[in-house]
Amino acid sequence: MSIEDLKSLMEPGRVVEDQEVIRTYIDDWTGRYKGSTSAVTFPHSTDEVAKILSWCSTNQVRVVPQGGNTGMVGGSVPLNGELIISLRKMKNVSFSNTNRNQIVAEAGATLLEIQNLASGRGLMYGVDFAARDSATIGGTIATNAGGLNVLKYGTTRRQIVSVEAVTGTGKVIGNLNGLEKDNTGYHLPSLLCGSEGTLAIVTRAKLKLWPEPEETVTILFGFNTIEDAVNLTEDCMSTNTEIVACELFFQKGVDLVRDAYDLQPLWGNKNSIYLLCEFAGDSGISDRLSENILGEILQTHNSVLVATTDRERQRLWQYRELHTVAVSQKGIPLKLDVTIPLGNLPHFLDGIDTICGNINPLSLPYVFGHVADGNMHLNILQSEPNVAEMEEEILKFVVSLEGSISAEHGIGRAKAPYLHLQRNEHEISLFREMKKAFDPKGILNPDVIFLTCS
Ligand code: FAD
Ligand code: MLT
Ligand code: ZN
C-alpha cells in the first residue's frame, strides 16, 4: 500500500505531500502539540471522505480529522504520523429548503460564515466564541463546543438537528432530514457531538437558528469579592429571562490583556474581579433592566459600565475575549477547562492559588471563563517543570468539588490520562466498545479520549 494508491482514487490536488504546505497543519493552536505526517488530504465531498476512510481502513492507515485546528486538547494534530483529513475545503452553507430557520453546513464552514449567513435573514446561530473565524462546524460538533452564549442557547449539541458522517470503515451514516422529532433509534447527532473524531468524521449538519435579538445590552461590573460576583450571576440567572452571557475574569488577566493590546485601565484598577453580563431581547431592554434587580445595582454600585452600541460592546468584550491569545503570547500555558458548581467557586479559586503556589511558586495561573455555566478556564504560565503534577493535582481537586475535568474543549490527548477521574471503568469500557463498533480498525484519532487504543 502506498499513498500513490490513494492519490489514484482521488481527483488531483486532494492528497498533498509538500512539507511546506503540511507544516501549517501539524502543530496545534496552543503550541504544546507538535506533529508530523507524510500527507494531508483535502476531500471536497462526503463521498470523497468515504473513499479516503475506506482506503485507510483497508490499509490500516490511522487518521486525524482536522477542521480549523483551534482545538485546545491536542486532538487535531498527527502526533504519530497519522494522515490528516482536513475538512477545510468542504465549506458549502445554505439555508434549508424545508425549514427557513435551519442552515445546512458542510463540516469545513466556520462559525463566522454560519453567523453571517444567518444574520442576513435576521437569524443567529447559538454558538459563538473568539475563534469564530477559524473554528469549523465539524470541529465544534466533534468537541461539542460551548462558548459565550451557552447560558441562553446551549452548547453545540443543542444546535444540531441532523448530522451526516462517515465511519471508520468508510460507511456514510446519518441524514439531513432536519426533523426536531425523529425518535428512530439512537440519536446520532447527540452521539457524534463530543466524540472528537473517534467514532466518525462529520461531513455535513443541519443546524437550528434562533431569532436575532432586536436589542443587546452589555454591562461590565467590577467587584472586590468573588461572593458578590457569584451572587449577581445567580440573581441574573434566576430573575432575568433575557440574560445571554455571563463571563468572569480577574485583575491579573485584565492587566495581561491591557499590556498586550494597550487598553485603558478599568476604574483605575480599584477592583480585582470583573463580571461581564450580556442581555438580549426585544427593544426596550434597557428600560426593563432598570426595572428589575439590575436597577438597584445600577444605581448603587459604583463600578459599572453599560454598553448599548456594537462598538461600545466590542470594547468591553475585548477585556474578556483577548485572554486566550494574550496568555499564549507569553508562552505555552498548561490549559485547564473545568466546570465547578457555582457554590464551590470561591473554594476552587482559593485552592488553585494554593496548589500552584505549593507545586511551583513561579507559576502564573490565569482564571477566566463562562461563570454562569460554572466553566472556568485555567491557563497556567511558567508551570514547567511540574506540568503533569500540577495538572493531576488540580483535576483531582476539581473532581473533589463535584466538578468536571473538561467543560467544553473535550478530552483530546491532553486529558486522556485523567478520564478515569471522571468516568468509571464500566463507562470507559463501554466507550471503547462503541468506538470498536464505529471504527473497528481503530484508525480514527486513536489516542484521543482514550489512552492509546491499540
Ligand atoms: P479542530 O481543532 O480542527 O479539531 C478539534 C477536534 O475535533 C479534533 O479531535 C479533531 O480530530 C476533531 N474534528 C475536527 N473536525 C472534525 C470532523 N469534521 N469530524 C469529526 N471530528 C472532527 N472552545 C469552546 O468550546 N469554547 C470557547 O469559548 C472557545 N474559545 C476559544 C478561543 C480561542 C481564541 C481559541 C483558539 C479556541 C477556542 N476554543 C473554544 C477551542 C476550539 O475553538 C474548539 O474546540 C473548536 O470546537 C475547535 O474547532 P476546529 O474546527 O478548530 O477543530
Ligand atoms: C475561552 O473561552 O476564551 C477559551 O475557551 C478559553 C481558553 O482558550 O482556554
Ligand atoms: Zn471557553
mmCIF file of all heavy atoms in Angstrom, residues 100-138:
data_model
loop_
_atom_site.group_PDB
_atom_site.id
_atom_site.type_symbol
_atom_site.label_atom_id
_atom_site.label_comp_id
_atom_site.label_asym_id
_atom_site.label_seq_id
_atom_site.Cartn_x
_atom_site.Cartn_y
_atom_site.Cartn_z
ATOM 1 N N ARG A 100 -37.023 27.325 7.070
ATOM 2 C CA ARG A 100 -36.213 28.540 6.863
ATOM 3 C C ARG A 100 -35.433 28.938 8.114
ATOM 4 O O ARG A 100 -34.605 29.835 8.076
ATOM 5 C CB ARG A 100 -37.087 29.699 6.386
ATOM 6 C CG ARG A 100 -38.110 30.142 7.381
ATOM 7 C CD ARG A 100 -39.149 30.982 6.701
ATOM 8 N NE ARG A 100 -40.064 31.472 7.711
ATOM 9 C CZ ARG A 100 -40.517 32.712 7.789
ATOM 10 N NH1 ARG A 100 -40.143 33.571 6.880
ATOM 11 N NH2 ARG A 100 -41.328 33.086 8.730
ATOM 12 N N ASN A 101 -35.662 28.221 9.212
ATOM 13 C CA ASN A 101 -34.883 28.515 10.428
ATOM 14 C C ASN A 101 -33.764 27.496 10.624
ATOM 15 O O ASN A 101 -33.318 27.250 11.737
ATOM 16 C CB ASN A 101 -35.798 28.511 11.663
ATOM 17 C CG ASN A 101 -36.826 29.624 11.583
ATOM 18 O OD1 ASN A 101 -36.476 30.771 11.314
ATOM 19 N ND2 ASN A 101 -38.097 29.258 11.729
ATOM 20 N N GLN A 102 -33.358 26.868 9.505
ATOM 21 C CA GLN A 102 -32.258 25.905 9.605
ATOM 22 C C GLN A 102 -31.252 26.164 8.486
ATOM 23 O O GLN A 102 -31.608 26.609 7.405
ATOM 24 C CB GLN A 102 -32.775 24.458 9.478
ATOM 25 C CG GLN A 102 -33.607 23.990 10.650
ATOM 26 C CD GLN A 102 -34.135 22.573 10.448
ATOM 27 O OE1 GLN A 102 -34.015 21.988 9.357
ATOM 28 N NE2 GLN A 102 -34.755 22.016 11.482
ATOM 29 N N ILE A 103 -29.990 25.875 8.801
ATOM 30 C CA ILE A 103 -28.911 26.015 7.820
ATOM 31 C C ILE A 103 -28.306 24.635 7.588
ATOM 32 O O ILE A 103 -28.194 23.844 8.535
ATOM 33 C CB ILE A 103 -27.833 26.998 8.366
ATOM 34 C CG1 ILE A 103 -28.109 28.427 7.882
ATOM 35 C CG2 ILE A 103 -26.432 26.585 8.002
ATOM 36 C CD1 ILE A 103 -27.091 29.451 8.293
ATOM 37 N N VAL A 104 -27.953 24.335 6.337
ATOM 38 C CA VAL A 104 -27.192 23.119 6.042
ATOM 39 C C VAL A 104 -25.736 23.547 5.852
ATOM 40 O O VAL A 104 -25.463 24.441 5.048
ATOM 41 C CB VAL A 104 -27.668 22.448 4.735
ATOM 42 C CG1 VAL A 104 -26.931 21.124 4.525
ATOM 43 C CG2 VAL A 104 -29.166 22.204 4.781
ATOM 44 N N ALA A 105 -24.832 22.954 6.631
ATOM 45 C CA ALA A 105 -23.425 23.366 6.543
ATOM 46 C C ALA A 105 -22.538 22.156 6.322
ATOM 47 O O ALA A 105 -22.748 21.107 6.958
ATOM 48 C CB ALA A 105 -23.003 24.059 7.828
ATOM 49 N N GLU A 106 -21.560 22.321 5.431
ATOM 50 C CA GLU A 106 -20.531 21.293 5.332
ATOM 51 C C GLU A 106 -19.549 21.485 6.480
ATOM 52 O O GLU A 106 -19.426 22.590 7.020
ATOM 53 C CB GLU A 106 -19.817 21.378 3.985
ATOM 54 C CG GLU A 106 -20.653 20.870 2.824
ATOM 55 C CD GLU A 106 -19.846 20.741 1.538
ATOM 56 O OE1 GLU A 106 -18.968 21.593 1.281
ATOM 57 O OE2 GLU A 106 -20.096 19.782 0.789
ATOM 58 N N ALA A 107 -18.851 20.447 6.827
ATOM 59 C CA ALA A 107 -18.027 20.440 8.046
ATOM 60 C C ALA A 107 -16.979 21.536 8.116
ATOM 61 O O ALA A 107 -16.641 22.001 9.202
ATOM 62 C CB ALA A 107 -17.339 19.078 8.176
ATOM 63 N N GLY A 108 -16.483 21.970 6.976
ATOM 64 C CA GLY A 108 -15.368 22.932 6.989
ATOM 65 C C GLY A 108 -15.798 24.382 7.059
ATOM 66 O O GLY A 108 -14.955 25.280 7.132
ATOM 67 N N ALA A 109 -17.111 24.625 7.067
ATOM 68 C CA ALA A 109 -17.597 26.015 7.195
ATOM 69 C C ALA A 109 -17.274 26.517 8.601
ATOM 70 O O ALA A 109 -17.370 25.764 9.566
ATOM 71 C CB ALA A 109 -19.097 26.061 6.955
ATOM 72 N N THR A 110 -16.887 27.796 8.682
ATOM 73 C CA THR A 110 -16.531 28.339 10.005
ATOM 74 C C THR A 110 -17.783 28.869 10.708
ATOM 75 O O THR A 110 -18.813 29.144 10.073
ATOM 76 C CB THR A 110 -15.534 29.506 9.880
ATOM 77 O OG1 THR A 110 -16.182 30.572 9.155
ATOM 78 C CG2 THR A 110 -14.251 29.068 9.193
ATOM 79 N N LEU A 111 -17.644 29.036 12.015
ATOM 80 C CA LEU A 111 -18.724 29.639 12.809
ATOM 81 C C LEU A 111 -19.127 30.982 12.220
ATOM 82 O O LEU A 111 -20.306 31.295 12.048
ATOM 83 C CB LEU A 111 -18.243 29.870 14.250
ATOM 84 C CG LEU A 111 -18.290 28.731 15.249
ATOM 85 C CD1 LEU A 111 -17.913 29.241 16.625
ATOM 86 C CD2 LEU A 111 -19.667 28.083 15.271
ATOM 87 N N LEU A 112 -18.118 31.787 11.838
ATOM 88 C CA LEU A 112 -18.395 33.139 11.339
ATOM 89 C C LEU A 112 -19.200 33.086 10.048
ATOM 90 O O LEU A 112 -20.135 33.859 9.849
ATOM 91 C CB LEU A 112 -17.077 33.903 11.128
ATOM 92 C CG LEU A 112 -17.213 35.394 10.791
ATOM 93 C CD1 LEU A 112 -17.915 36.159 11.905
ATOM 94 C CD2 LEU A 112 -15.832 36.005 10.499
ATOM 95 N N GLU A 113 -18.873 32.128 9.178
ATOM 96 C CA GLU A 113 -19.618 32.005 7.909
ATOM 97 C C GLU A 113 -21.081 31.659 8.166
ATOM 98 O O GLU A 113 -21.994 32.184 7.526
ATOM 99 C CB GLU A 113 -18.934 30.970 7.001
ATOM 100 C CG GLU A 113 -17.633 31.489 6.403
ATOM 101 C CD GLU A 113 -16.660 30.399 5.927
ATOM 102 O OE1 GLU A 113 -16.908 29.201 6.227
ATOM 103 O OE2 GLU A 113 -15.662 30.743 5.284
ATOM 104 N N ILE A 114 -21.323 30.824 9.160
ATOM 105 C CA ILE A 114 -22.707 30.467 9.517
ATOM 106 C C ILE A 114 -23.410 31.684 10.097
ATOM 107 O O ILE A 114 -24.547 32.029 9.749
ATOM 108 C CB ILE A 114 -22.701 29.323 10.551
ATOM 109 C CG1 ILE A 114 -22.011 28.086 10.007
ATOM 110 C CG2 ILE A 114 -24.102 29.014 11.038
ATOM 111 C CD1 ILE A 114 -22.709 27.452 8.847
ATOM 112 N N GLN A 115 -22.700 32.384 11.004
ATOM 113 C CA GLN A 115 -23.293 33.563 11.668
ATOM 114 C C GLN A 115 -23.641 34.631 10.628
ATOM 115 O O GLN A 115 -24.722 35.227 10.670
ATOM 116 C CB GLN A 115 -22.310 34.123 12.708
ATOM 117 C CG GLN A 115 -22.107 33.204 13.911
ATOM 118 C CD GLN A 115 -20.938 33.633 14.796
ATOM 119 O OE1 GLN A 115 -20.184 34.521 14.443
ATOM 120 N NE2 GLN A 115 -20.787 32.973 15.941
ATOM 121 N N ASN A 116 -22.751 34.836 9.669
ATOM 122 C CA ASN A 116 -23.010 35.878 8.655
ATOM 123 C C ASN A 116 -24.198 35.510 7.769
ATOM 124 O O ASN A 116 -25.057 36.345 7.498
ATOM 125 C CB ASN A 116 -21.763 36.100 7.787
ATOM 126 C CG ASN A 116 -20.652 36.810 8.558
ATOM 127 O OD1 ASN A 116 -20.922 37.432 9.596
ATOM 128 N ND2 ASN A 116 -19.422 36.667 8.104
ATOM 129 N N LEU A 117 -24.288 34.240 7.390
ATOM 130 C CA LEU A 117 -25.409 33.831 6.529
ATOM 131 C C LEU A 117 -26.722 33.989 7.301
ATOM 132 O O LEU A 117 -27.698 34.556 6.807
ATOM 133 C CB LEU A 117 -25.228 32.379 6.068
ATOM 134 C CG LEU A 117 -26.335 31.846 5.155
ATOM 135 C CD1 LEU A 117 -26.328 32.585 3.809
ATOM 136 C CD2 LEU A 117 -26.198 30.345 4.917
ATOM 137 N N ALA A 118 -26.714 33.543 8.552
ATOM 138 C CA ALA A 118 -27.940 33.615 9.376
ATOM 139 C C ALA A 118 -28.389 35.060 9.565
ATOM 140 O O ALA A 118 -29.564 35.397 9.446
ATOM 141 C CB ALA A 118 -27.696 32.948 10.717
ATOM 142 N N SER A 119 -27.413 35.927 9.822
ATOM 143 C CA SER A 119 -27.740 37.325 10.127
ATOM 144 C C SER A 119 -28.418 38.005 8.940
ATOM 145 O O SER A 119 -29.281 38.862 9.105
ATOM 146 C CB SER A 119 -26.434 38.047 10.499
ATOM 147 O OG SER A 119 -26.677 39.381 10.717
ATOM 148 N N GLY A 120 -28.088 37.543 7.744
ATOM 149 C CA GLY A 120 -28.710 38.124 6.538
ATOM 150 C C GLY A 120 -30.205 37.900 6.500
ATOM 151 O O GLY A 120 -30.945 38.559 5.803
ATOM 152 N N ARG A 121 -30.685 36.950 7.305
ATOM 153 C CA ARG A 121 -32.120 36.624 7.323
ATOM 154 C C ARG A 121 -32.728 37.012 8.686
ATOM 155 O O ARG A 121 -33.771 36.561 9.081
ATOM 156 C CB ARG A 121 -32.268 35.133 7.037
ATOM 157 C CG ARG A 121 -33.673 34.722 6.669
ATOM 158 C CD ARG A 121 -33.797 33.266 6.318
ATOM 159 N NE ARG A 121 -33.684 32.991 4.886
ATOM 160 C CZ ARG A 121 -33.921 31.793 4.330
ATOM 161 N NH1 ARG A 121 -34.237 30.776 5.123
ATOM 162 N NH2 ARG A 121 -33.813 31.595 3.044
ATOM 163 N N GLY A 122 -31.924 37.842 9.482
ATOM 164 C CA GLY A 122 -32.444 38.263 10.794
ATOM 165 C C GLY A 122 -32.462 37.130 11.798
ATOM 166 O O GLY A 122 -33.229 37.124 12.767
ATOM 167 N N LEU A 123 -31.587 36.136 11.546
ATOM 168 C CA LEU A 123 -31.498 34.990 12.462
ATOM 169 C C LEU A 123 -30.082 34.918 13.025
ATOM 170 O O LEU A 123 -29.192 35.667 12.588
ATOM 171 C CB LEU A 123 -31.839 33.696 11.697
ATOM 172 C CG LEU A 123 -33.262 33.630 11.126
ATOM 173 C CD1 LEU A 123 -33.393 32.469 10.134
ATOM 174 C CD2 LEU A 123 -34.296 33.486 12.242
ATOM 175 N N MET A 124 -29.848 34.026 13.990
ATOM 176 C CA MET A 124 -28.497 33.878 14.532
ATOM 177 C C MET A 124 -28.217 32.414 14.889
ATOM 178 O O MET A 124 -29.152 31.622 15.112
ATOM 179 C CB MET A 124 -28.320 34.746 15.780
ATOM 180 C CG MET A 124 -29.226 34.375 16.932
ATOM 181 S SD MET A 124 -28.790 35.212 18.449
ATOM 182 C CE MET A 124 -27.430 34.204 19.009
ATOM 183 N N TYR A 125 -26.930 32.082 14.899
ATOM 184 C CA TYR A 125 -26.509 30.732 15.283
ATOM 185 C C TYR A 125 -26.138 30.805 16.763
ATOM 186 O O TYR A 125 -25.532 31.763 17.224
ATOM 187 C CB TYR A 125 -25.306 30.280 14.440
ATOM 188 C CG TYR A 125 -24.858 28.867 14.741
ATOM 189 C CD1 TYR A 125 -25.733 27.786 14.615
ATOM 190 C CD2 TYR A 125 -23.562 28.599 15.177
ATOM 191 C CE1 TYR A 125 -25.334 26.491 14.903
ATOM 192 C CE2 TYR A 125 -23.143 27.308 15.462
ATOM 193 C CZ TYR A 125 -24.037 26.265 15.317
ATOM 194 O OH TYR A 125 -23.639 24.970 15.604
ATOM 195 N N GLY A 126 -26.522 29.789 17.536
ATOM 196 C CA GLY A 126 -26.445 29.896 19.000
ATOM 197 C C GLY A 126 -25.054 29.803 19.589
ATOM 198 O O GLY A 126 -24.849 30.156 20.745
ATOM 199 N N VAL A 127 -24.064 29.320 18.830
ATOM 200 C CA VAL A 127 -22.710 29.147 19.391
ATOM 201 C C VAL A 127 -21.810 30.280 18.894
ATOM 202 O O VAL A 127 -21.790 30.598 17.690
ATOM 203 C CB VAL A 127 -22.114 27.778 18.993
ATOM 204 C CG1 VAL A 127 -20.646 27.672 19.418
ATOM 205 C CG2 VAL A 127 -22.927 26.641 19.617
ATOM 206 N N ASP A 128 -21.073 30.879 19.843
ATOM 207 C CA ASP A 128 -20.145 31.948 19.459
ATOM 208 C C ASP A 128 -18.978 31.972 20.442
ATOM 209 O O ASP A 128 -19.168 31.756 21.641
ATOM 210 C CB ASP A 128 -20.846 33.307 19.494
ATOM 211 C CG ASP A 128 -19.916 34.425 19.001
ATOM 212 O OD1 ASP A 128 -19.121 34.142 18.070
ATOM 213 O OD2 ASP A 128 -19.952 35.519 19.578
ATOM 214 N N PHE A 129 -17.784 32.168 19.932
ATOM 215 C CA PHE A 129 -16.621 32.377 20.790
ATOM 216 C C PHE A 129 -15.496 32.962 19.962
ATOM 217 O O PHE A 129 -15.605 33.058 18.744
ATOM 218 C CB PHE A 129 -16.191 31.089 21.520
ATOM 219 C CG PHE A 129 -15.973 29.875 20.649
ATOM 220 C CD1 PHE A 129 -14.752 29.652 20.009
ATOM 221 C CD2 PHE A 129 -16.984 28.940 20.473
ATOM 222 C CE1 PHE A 129 -14.543 28.523 19.227
ATOM 223 C CE2 PHE A 129 -16.777 27.801 19.691
ATOM 224 C CZ PHE A 129 -15.563 27.588 19.066
ATOM 225 N N ALA A 130 -14.403 33.337 20.601
ATOM 226 C CA ALA A 130 -13.377 34.192 19.981
ATOM 227 C C ALA A 130 -12.768 33.573 18.721
ATOM 228 O O ALA A 130 -12.333 34.299 17.836
ATOM 229 C CB ALA A 130 -12.274 34.507 21.002
ATOM 230 N N ALA A 131 -12.772 32.236 18.589
ATOM 231 C CA ALA A 131 -12.121 31.604 17.412
ATOM 232 C C ALA A 131 -13.113 31.446 16.264
ATOM 233 O O ALA A 131 -12.940 30.610 15.385
ATOM 234 C CB ALA A 131 -11.539 30.249 17.806
ATOM 235 N N ARG A 132 -14.164 32.293 16.266
ATOM 236 C CA ARG A 132 -15.279 32.127 15.312
ATOM 237 C C ARG A 132 -14.804 32.170 13.850
ATOM 238 O O ARG A 132 -15.426 31.577 12.982
ATOM 239 C CB ARG A 132 -16.329 33.195 15.555
ATOM 240 C CG ARG A 132 -15.814 34.617 15.484
ATOM 241 C CD ARG A 132 -16.877 35.635 15.838
ATOM 242 N NE ARG A 132 -17.217 35.602 17.256
ATOM 243 C CZ ARG A 132 -16.517 36.232 18.204
ATOM 244 N NH1 ARG A 132 -15.399 36.886 17.884
ATOM 245 N NH2 ARG A 132 -16.897 36.204 19.462
ATOM 246 N N ASP A 133 -13.683 32.834 13.584
ATOM 247 C CA ASP A 133 -13.273 32.976 12.170
ATOM 248 C C ASP A 133 -12.511 31.739 11.678
ATOM 249 O O ASP A 133 -12.216 31.623 10.498
ATOM 250 C CB ASP A 133 -12.403 34.224 11.988
ATOM 251 C CG ASP A 133 -11.145 34.170 12.844
ATOM 252 O OD1 ASP A 133 -11.058 33.244 13.684
ATOM 253 O OD2 ASP A 133 -10.264 35.021 12.659
ATOM 254 N N SER A 134 -12.169 30.819 12.601
ATOM 255 C CA SER A 134 -11.447 29.619 12.115
ATOM 256 C C SER A 134 -12.035 28.311 12.629
ATOM 257 O O SER A 134 -11.905 27.291 11.955
ATOM 258 C CB SER A 134 -9.958 29.695 12.478
ATOM 259 O OG SER A 134 -9.758 30.360 13.688
ATOM 260 N N ALA A 135 -12.691 28.328 13.761
ATOM 261 C CA ALA A 135 -13.301 27.083 14.257
ATOM 262 C C ALA A 135 -14.403 26.666 13.278
ATOM 263 O O ALA A 135 -15.197 27.502 12.843
ATOM 264 C CB ALA A 135 -13.861 27.292 15.652
ATOM 265 N N THR A 136 -14.441 25.364 12.959
ATOM 266 C CA THR A 136 -15.376 24.901 11.919
ATOM 267 C C THR A 136 -16.587 24.191 12.517
ATOM 268 O O THR A 136 -16.560 23.772 13.676
ATOM 269 C CB THR A 136 -14.681 23.888 10.986
ATOM 270 O OG1 THR A 136 -14.336 22.718 11.778
ATOM 271 C CG2 THR A 136 -13.441 24.491 10.351
ATOM 272 N N ILE A 137 -17.614 24.020 11.716
ATOM 273 C CA ILE A 137 -18.813 23.317 12.183
ATOM 274 C C ILE A 137 -18.453 21.883 12.557
ATOM 275 O O ILE A 137 -18.853 21.379 13.606
ATOM 276 C CB ILE A 137 -19.914 23.376 11.098
ATOM 277 C CG1 ILE A 137 -20.464 24.806 11.021
ATOM 278 C CG2 ILE A 137 -21.022 22.367 11.378
ATOM 279 C CD1 ILE A 137 -20.992 25.363 12.334
ATOM 280 N N GLY A 138 -17.640 21.229 11.754
ATOM 281 C CA GLY A 138 -17.244 19.846 12.068
ATOM 282 C C GLY A 138 -16.483 19.764 13.370
ATOM 283 O O GLY A 138 -16.756 18.909 14.214
#
